[in-house]
Amino acid sequence: MIAFENVAYSYGGGELLSGVDLTLQPGSFHFLTGPSGAGKSTLLKLCYGELLSTKGRVVLFDRDIRGVGRDGLARMRRRVGVVQQDCQFLDHLSVAANVTLPLSVTGREGDPQDLSDLLGWVGLTHLAGARPPQLSGGERQRAALARAVITSPDVMLADEPTGNLDWEMSLRLLTLLVELNRMGKTILIATHDMNLIRAAKTQVAARVLRIKGGRVELAGAEL
Ligand SMILES: Nc1ncnc2c1ncn2[C@@H]1O[C@H](COP(=O)(O)OP(=O)(O)OP(=O)(O)O)[C@@H](O)[C@H]1O
Ligand SMILES: [Mg+2]
């Protein structure tokens, strides 16, 4: 589904990531950990072509991201749901309109029942008509998750999706991601939260990738 082949990335200084080899099989569930500044958000952006590797190849849906062109990349990205670390919204639109935006931009008609189920799922039914600036940090994250899921993507990439959530809500979000995984979606979650990883491991065969010294290693079972 996603493969990195000897990938390096640099923002202009030294190499932040180097020699990264990685394969995320369809239907797999992975966490990505590592200290602040290690390159977790950068690695997620490399997965969906927001950033292009400075060396090596990133393959998404069996195609080299670099070779698909802008339109090709846009088409591939429709199959990827992304929850960014600093989730941005259109502030003049309601939460409901923001969540359905990915459908409207691709000319698809959303089913009102699906929207209502999805908002219920993330506990935001009562805020459907609110504007994003009125939301708390955790409510924004839940809205961002709903927006990422609405197109029913094959891959979900979530960057610290529980960073602003209390434990109960974190577990709820995790359950949603586990359910998506059971439906066959490939999931990659960047997080610092070891308790979240432990909780996930009781529900799903999750593997843990760790960025260390610019490289990505598969963590053992010690968590
Ligand atoms: N656009 C950019 N230009 C230059 N440097 C950047 C840019 N974005 C990130 N960096 C640097 O790259 C490094 C990795 O950043 P990244 O956001 O990938 O880390 P992270 O592991 O996600 O950290 P955190 O846990 O704090 O979210 C940091 O040192 C950061 O300052
Ligand atoms: Mg980050």
Side-chain angles (χ1 to χ4, degrees):
M1 196 111 274
I2 299 178
F4 281 44
E5 294 168 9
N6 198 24
V7 165
Y9 189 78
S10 156
Y11 281 105
E15 278 181 350
L16 174 65
L17 298 169
S18 66
V20 177
D21 287 305
L22 199 63
T23 308
L24 303 188
Q25 298 291 354
S28 61
F29 196 120
H30 283 86
F31 286 99
L32 178 64
T33 64
S36 179
K40 300 181 293 298
S41 298
T42 303
L43 190 136
L44 290 189
K45 288 173 186 165
L46 288 166
C47 288
Y48 62 99
E50 175 74 22
L51 296 173
L52 293 177
S53 61
T54 42
K55 283 185 199 155
R57 262 170 28 116
V58 176
V59 178
L60 175 63
F61 307 127
D62 299 320
R63 300 180 69 186
D64 184 340
I65 279 191
R66 199 179 293 279
V68 295
R70 213 153 55 142
D71 292 347
L73 188 59
R75 270 194 300 277
M76 283 156 83
R77 275 163 77 154
R78 285 183 207 152
R79 299 174 58 193
V80 183
V82 181
V83 180
Q84 268 158 356
Q85 195 166 10
D86 59 336
C87 20
Q88 302 289 333
F89 297 96
L90 295 179
D91 287 346
H92 62 287
L93 295 180
S94 68
V95 168
N98 269 283
V99 168
T100 50
L101 207 59
L103 290 177
S104 353
V105 299
T106 54
R108 276 178 281 176
E109 194 75 32
D111 177 349
Q113 186 59 44
D114 287 349
L115 173 65
S116 132
D117 288 350
L118 191 53
L119 289 177
W121 206 50
V122 295
L124 289 179
T125 303
H126 61 298
L127 289 170
R131 299 281 181 266
Q134 297 166 247
L135 302 187
S136 73
E139 288 161 352
R140 289 176 77 84
Q141 282 185 319
R142 287 183 273 147
L145 183 71
R147 181 178 57 185
V149 169
I150 196 143
T151 54
S152 193
D154 298 317
V155 177
M156 277 291 299
L157 304 172
D159 201 350
E160 302 280 356
T162 60
N164 289 308
L165 302 182
D166 58 39
W167 181 238
E168 196 185 326
M169 193 48 83
S170 299
L171 282 182
R172 198 156 138 195
L173 229 81
L174 176 67
T175 305
L176 303 183
L177 290 164
V178 169
E179 270 184 44
L180 288 172
N181 180 247
R182 295 208 171 116
M183 289 160 60
K185 318 286 186 194
T186 308
I187 314 271
L188 176 59
I189 305 172
T191 185
H192 286 111
D193 189 346
M194 292 301 148
N195 287 324
L196 187 75
I197 297 178
R198 285 187 203 103
K201 285 190 156 188
T202 67
Q203 300 182 39
V204 68
R207 308 187 85 178
V208 181
L209 303 167
R210 186 159 46 204
I211 304 183
K212 201 173 173 186
R215 290 177 181 266
V216 176
E217 56 184 35
L218 195 59
E222 77 274 17
L223 279 164

